[in-house]
Amino acid sequence: MEHEVFVPVPAEVLRATLTDPARVVRCVPGFQRDADAEAGPLAGRLKVRVGGNTITYRGALKVVERDGAVTYEGQGTEARGKGTAELSLTVVLTPVAEGTSLSFTGGLTAAGRLAEATEEARATAGARLLDKFVEALAALAEEPEPEQAAPDTADDTEDTEDTDDDGVDDGVEEPRRESVFDAPVPPPSLDPLLAEELADTPIEFPAPQPAAEAAHARRTMIGRSAEEVDHAPPRGRYAPVPAPESTSAGVTLRWIAPAAALALASAVVVGRALRRRR
């Protein structure tokens, strides 16, 4: 795979950007960096569109400088599949008038969904990916580097005794202004005699009510005490039905049995008496 692009940026500026992994990761289209900082700045996920399919690879990329050229070596595996891909891309920077010429030369070894695509689809996808990479690279290289804040060289130990309070040394000594913290604290607004009387007067608290009176007051306020509510039987539709009284039936049965026995005995006696007369 070969590809050549012109960039209107000096070669040294482009080389500084191409060899900085933290800046290269911002130029790769479709790349999502891993959250793990130990994995490196060029480790994460890369989405590549080949033909009508989008393939996501998970892997890492490293930057190597060889003989004045910048080489990118990386490998990855499909996030949803068993396919793999290995890439070796070399970038040669050639200074030209009003810019730099970038020559890309590399090789790709793939297995899986990328290997199933046609050679034309792979070449088109690679050229499109490199064009977007160069556009982002040129835009990033033209950005000014953040300037570091200059150290404060002012002498904090400068003697300020020769200047007046107004900040102007006019040779005339002005009266010293008192600080807010040096101002006297005004006395309290309360009359000191009244404060002494309040301090000497004892505070009387009402005596606590007896337990019986407190319980009576509580029952008066809420109707019934908590103990009565807990042990009181339910009322209304949920009240238990009282059992029927069985006292009258027991008394009746208690007198019926002797009367029946007496009637039976009388019948036996009358029957024997009638038999004797016959």
Side-chain angles (χ1 to χ4, degrees):
M1 179 180 64
E2 295 181 358
H3 193 69
E4 187 173 354
V5 183
F6 170 78
V7 182
V9 179
E12 296 301 327
V13 177
L14 289 178
R15 185 180 300 276
T17 305
L18 289 172
T19 55
D20 186 3
R23 307 188 75 182
V24 171
V25 71
R26 299 171 54 186
C27 301
V28 180
F31 183 79
Q32 182 179 1
R33 182 179 175 183
D34 282 344
D36 188 5
E38 297 180 357
L42 291 176
R45 294 172 176 263
L46 177 64
K47 289 185 178 182
V48 182
R49 186 171 183 82
V50 180
N53 301 323
T54 301
I55 308 173
T56 302
Y57 288 95
R58 184 180 184 87
L61 190 71
K62 62 180 180 179
V63 183
V64 181
E65 292 188 67
R66 296 173 181 172
D67 301 331
V70 182
T71 302
Y72 299 99
E73 298 178 355
Q75 58 183 0
T77 58
E78 294 182 7
R80 297 182 180 180
K82 299 181 180 180
T84 59
E86 294 183 4
L87 172 69
S88 178
L89 183 66
T90 302
V91 185
V92 179
L93 293 83
T94 304
V96 295
E98 299 181 358
T100 306
S101 175
L102 298 180
S103 299
F104 295 90
T105 305
L108 176 66
T109 303
R113 298 174 60 187
L114 185 59
E116 296 174 357
T118 62
E119 185 177 355
E120 182 181 359
R122 290 197 299 267
T124 304
R128 183 172 59 251
L129 187 66
L130 290 177
D131 289 339
K132 292 183 179 180
F133 173 78
V134 172
E135 291 179 4
L137 177 66
L140 183 62
E142 293 178 354
E143 291 182 1
E145 296 183 359
E147 298 180 359
Q148 297 181 355
D152 189 5
T153 58
D155 188 4
D156 296 338
T157 60
E158 183 180 359
D159 188 6
T160 59
E161 294 181 357
D162 295 339
T163 60
D164 297 334
D165 292 340
D166 56 359
V168 180
D169 189 4
D170 52 5
V172 180
E173 184 177 359
E174 298 182 0
R176 180 177 177 272
R177 299 178 183 178
E178 296 183 356
S179 173
V180 179
F181 300 98
D182 297 337
V185 180
S189 58
L190 290 177
D191 188 359
L193 298 178
L194 180 59
E196 293 180 359
E197 293 180 0
L198 293 176
D200 297 338
T201 304
I203 301 176
E204 298 182 358
F205 295 94
Q209 296 182 352
E213 295 182 3
H216 175 70
R218 186 169 66 253
R219 283 196 299 268
T220 303
M221 289 186 292
I222 65 175
R224 291 184 298 172
S225 64
E227 292 81 2
E228 292 176 351
V229 172
D230 293 340
H231 299 286
R235 296 182 179 181
R237 58 184 298 183
Y238 300 103
V241 179
E245 298 181 359
S246 59
T247 55
S248 58
V251 174
T252 304
L253 293 176
R254 187 176 57 186
W255 290 104
I256 287 177
L262 180 59
L264 182 58
S266 301
V268 172
V269 173
V270 171
R272 290 180 180 180
L274 293 176
R275 287 179 182 175
R276 289 177 182 176
R277 288 182 180 181
R278 293 178 181 175

